[in-house]
Amino acid sequence: PLFLWDVKTSAIIARATDTNCLSVGTVAFSPDGSRIAAVCHSYQATRRPDDELGSAILVFEAESLKYVDALKGHRDVVVSVSYSETGDFIVSGSRDKTVCEWNTSSGKMTACLVGHTDNVNAVAYLFGSERTILSGGGDKQLIVWKPTRFPGFKMNGHSKLVTDVACSKDDL
């Protein structure tokens, strides 16, 4: 289940218990705080990674945790999820070595980007650039993507796998 906690009182504000999730992975709030995107790993994901129901991004209303949509399309477990600065897009990274972008209004995949040679462990949007994505993976690479124009720009130099990425407001 997915829980929304009040950190001041340690009380559960809302819970989404009918998600059919074996576990919940990474979670991201939309920039306006109205929605939550949560990576849901169902029982099938532990047995059949190619099952489209095995790992999905579930979108909820933030206040009530009312289910809104399921974003499905990765062929393996989803590892990372992030909202764009305006909240119009969600980006996800997966063990299937792809970076996928989703339109939050339609729930449709707008791009599935191929370029990593190992798991995509982390994704983020660059600030001030609605559709520029940064991804990092088990292949020790950072890739900067423009979903409307790829392949992305690869930055090599890490000697170990990349487990997280973050961008500053001035994209440093």
Side-chain angles (χ1 to χ4, degrees):
L2 178 66
F3 295 93
L4 186 61
W5 294 84
D6 181 326
V7 295
K8 293 178 185 170
T9 65
S10 300
I12 295 172
I13 299 169
R15 69 182 78 208
T17 55
D18 59 347
T19 61
N20 197 28
C21 294
L22 178 64
S23 65
V24 175
T26 187
V27 175
F29 276 89
S30 63
D32 67 2
S34 67
R35 299 274 169 99
I36 296 173
V39 174
C40 173
H41 305 295
S42 72
Y43 180 73
Q44 293 88 353
T46 62
R47 294 192 164 190
R48 292 180 26 194
D50 59 335
D51 182 355
E52 71 172 280
L53 300 176
S55 189
I57 302 151
L58 302 184
V59 180
F60 301 91
E61 291 179 1
E63 284 189 24
S64 64
L65 289 185
K66 179 182 173 190
Y67 171 83
V68 175
D69 202 357
L71 311 177
K72 302 174 194 169
H74 281 290
R75 296 178 315 276
D76 205 336
V77 174
V78 178
V79 179
S80 183
V81 65
S82 183
Y83 272 92
S84 67
E85 193 172 3
T86 62
D88 294 333
F89 298 94
I90 291 173
V91 64
S92 57
S94 169
R95 288 185 190 164
D96 67 7
K97 306 173 190 169
T98 65
V99 173
C100 294
E101 184 185 57
W102 314 84
N103 181 299
T104 56
S105 296
S106 69
K108 302 285 186 208
M109 185 187 299
T110 58
C112 188
L113 309 169
V114 178
H116 283 282
T117 59
D118 203 333
N119 299 345
V120 178
N121 298 324
V123 292
Y125 281 95
L126 273 64
F127 287 99
S129 181
E130 175 66 16
R131 307 248 343 248
T132 303
I133 299 164
L134 177 63
S135 64
D139 56 5
K140 307 173 195 167
Q141 293 186 92
L142 292 171
I143 301 179
V144 178
W145 304 93
K146 284 275 202 188
T148 55
R149 172 176 51 98
F150 64 92
F153 174 77
K154 295 183 180 186
M155 296 182 282
N156 297 303
H158 287 273
S159 60
K160 304 282 184 191
L161 61 100
V162 179
T163 59
D164 202 3
V165 296
C167 301
S168 69
K169 291 250 183 215
D170 53 4
D171 292 332
L172 295 177

